[in-house]
Amino acid sequence: MGLREIKKERVRKAILETARDMFFTRGYDETTIEAIAQKAEVAVGTVYNYFDSKSTLILAITAEDTSKALGDKFHIPESGSGLDGIKVYVNSFMKNLSMYPKRLLRELMREAWRSETALSKGIINQDLTLLDALSRLLRELAGKHKLKPGTDIEHASLTIYGIITTAIMWYAADDERTSRQMLESLEIMLQILFRGLNPEGGDK
Amino acid sequence: MGLREIKKERVRKAILETARDMFFTRGYDETTIEAIAQKAEVAVGTVYNYFDSKSTLILAITAEDTSKALGDKFHIPESGSGLDGIKVYVNSFMKNLSMYPKRLLRELMREAWRSETALSKGIINQDLTLLDALSRLLRELAGKHKLKPGTDIEHASLTIYGIITTAIMWYAADDERTSRQMLESLEIMLQILFRGLNPEGGDK
DNA sequence: TTTTATTATTGAATATATTCATGTTTGGAG
DNA sequence: CTCCAAACATGAATATATTCAATAATAAAA
């Protein structure tokens, strides 16, 4: 790696860390690009050489966090129902989330919808990691006969994903709501999903 | 109503309709407040006398649509499962949504997260209508013994709400996805929810 | 009708993300 | 070592949401 590359890495990291710091303490809206540039000791234009936009910056920061949080730790307990398997997984995801100030979480939700084609970037993309992990998990559960046979795995993952997303959204939207409360209602919703809503208990 | 009131109504309506028009044709980001003001024949400042911000404008417009769409038409078919009841309801909600250009939908999702306390305004608020309607619906279904006894109605509504929201988000995020596809996968997800994921078919 | 107070309108001023023409640095070729 | 092209950095210029002090219109009082 030449000097040029090294410098580039250094500058990139400086911008990223500075931005992260300021976003977490002051919030996204209150942090101007100019302030970031100043603290990172580069020009405004330089920030834009490294990141297409302010929202790219925050997305880059959080994407890194997410992939770290989801990366390793998900073990399915040998005993226990499918629900237990999911819960273990979801917990580490949520623990990561609760590190974020709510304000920032909201600003993040907002910015995630910014990219012209949201699918390729934005929140959806970050969530592809989650969705993917979920479907791997479900497939594994199905293999262990812990899922109703014939279940459409892709859609089941998407359903769980939707439930998780909803829990997060309500958590983020309401300053009063604690992460414990979020986890509790998430658990109830997952229970409902596993039990089903039909009265007979069977297929119907 | 004095002249003042009448004028006020007229101006408000002019701004709203002009904005609606431009948002739908050019998109939110491409429509400047100045352009709206010009077309509505008022000054920029006047727009701000009526609406706190640009995002307030789009939210006002869509909130109106939503409440219209949800207002009346939801009949629960006498025969049929609980799932059928939900589907009828969800369909009119979705029909309304598919009137929006995707671009605008995305911009809307974004702006909905803007208000400082998202719960009191924003998307969550619009959705309170939906959520409320869902829980009334579920309560009615429970009364008719079309729901598994002992189900936590509030959380069940929230679960369905989450599934709907997810379907909408994926629809909005992906230009390729048709509203038919959205409805199809929504239906599958609801089916999964009603059947449950546990293998035994029962409570477990 | 004239005067006064309240309410509404106005557009220039402000703040900030983003662009871009210009200048500077770097790694390597001769 | 000198010079060149490519890569990088810079900050003034641009665009646009939002604010606000000044002006105008309206309703009520005299």
Side-chain angles (χ1 to χ4, degrees), chain A residues 55 58-59 106-119 121-125 127 161 165 169, chain B residues 29 102-113 123 165-174:
Chain A
S55 65
I58 183 75
L59 291 179
R106 279 183 227 125
E107 290 165 327
L108 176 59
M109 300 264 183
R110 167 152 61 75
E111 295 309 310
W113 280 101
R114 192 174 287 281
S115 45
E116 189 47 38
T117 149
L119 230 209
K121 298 188 191 168
I123 203 168
I124 301 289
N125 185 46
D127 290 359
Y161 161 87
T165 305
M169 280 174 34
Chain B
D29 288 343
K102 286 213 176 166
R103 188 178 201 287
L104 188 56
L105 267 184
R106 279 183 226 125
E107 289 164 327
L108 176 60
M109 300 263 182
R110 168 151 61 75
E111 295 309 310
W113 280 100
I123 203 168
T165 305
T166 304
I168 294 173
M169 281 175 34
W170 284 80
Y171 167 73
D174 184 356

Side-chain angles (χ1 to χ4, degrees), chain A residues 196-202 204, chain B residues 81-82 145-149 194 201 203:
Chain A
L197 285 180
N198 275 335
E200 287 101 67
K204 163 85 201 215
Chain B
S81 65
H145 308 291
K146 289 181 174 178
L147 266 197
K148 191 190 285 288
F194 273 78
D203 266 43

Side-chain angles (χ1 to χ4, degrees), chain A:
Chain A
M1 208 198 288
L3 172 59
R4 192 163 265 176
E5 302 285 316
I6 292 172
K7 256 192 166 174
K8 216 161 123 179
E9 258 320 293
R10 246 210 307 265
V11 172
R12 191 190 148 83
K13 196 168 241 171
I15 293 172
L16 217 49
E17 308 252 291
T18 307
R20 163 178 257 282
D21 231 56
M22 299 183 83
F23 287 159
F24 269 76
T25 58
R26 301 187 194 182
Y28 178 85
D29 288 343
E30 293 303 308
T31 303
T32 68
I33 295 285
E34 197 175 349
I36 294 171
Q38 208 148 36
K39 243 195 180 174
E41 298 181 292
V42 294
V44 168
T46 303
V47 175
Y48 281 90
N49 283 342
Y50 287 81
F51 300 94
D52 286 348
S53 65
K54 196 181 172 188
S55 65
T56 303
L57 243 182
I58 183 75
L59 291 179
I61 289 166
T62 56
E64 208 178 323
D65 288 352
T66 305
S67 72
K68 262 188 211 154
L70 289 184
D72 35 303
K73 60 187 102 174
F74 85 94
H75 304 290
I76 302 177
E78 276 306 317
S79 63
S81 67
L83 180 52
D84 294 325
I86 300 284
K87 283 200 291 191
V88 170
Y89 181 72
V90 161
N91 268 18
S92 66
F93 185 69
M94 289 304 192
K95 202 170 66 194
N96 170 50
L97 259 192
S98 55
M99 310 287 294
Y100 287 67
K102 286 212 175 164
R103 188 179 203 284
L104 186 56
L105 222 41
R106 279 183 227 125
E107 290 165 327
L108 176 59
M109 300 264 183
R110 167 152 61 75
E111 295 309 310
W113 280 101
R114 192 174 287 281
S115 45
E116 189 47 38
T117 149
L119 230 209
S120 69
K121 298 188 191 168
I123 203 168
I124 301 289
N125 185 46
Q126 300 207 18
D127 290 359
L128 284 180
T129 320
L130 169 58
L131 191 58
D132 199 56
L134 279 174
S135 80
R136 270 183 294 131
L137 194 54
L138 284 189
R139 228 178 286 287
E140 199 176 331
L141 288 175
K144 292 182 179 172
H145 309 291
K146 290 182 176 178
L147 266 197
K148 192 189 284 287
T151 301
D152 176 335
I153 301 272
E154 291 316 313
H155 279 88
S157 315
L158 200 54
T159 306
I160 295 175
Y161 161 87
I163 289 174
I164 294 175
T165 305
T166 304
I168 294 172
M169 280 174 34
W170 284 79
Y171 167 72
D174 183 356
D175 276 329
E176 306 305 321
R177 181 162 275 250
T178 67
S179 68
R180 174 166 300 285
Q181 286 175 311
M182 164 176 72
L183 282 173
E184 278 167 11
S185 67
L186 181 56
E187 180 158 351
I188 297 175
M189 289 194 279
L190 287 175
Q191 254 165 32
I192 290 175
L193 172 62
F194 272 78
R195 287 192 185 162
L197 285 180
N198 275 335
E200 287 101 67
D203 265 44
K204 163 85 201 215

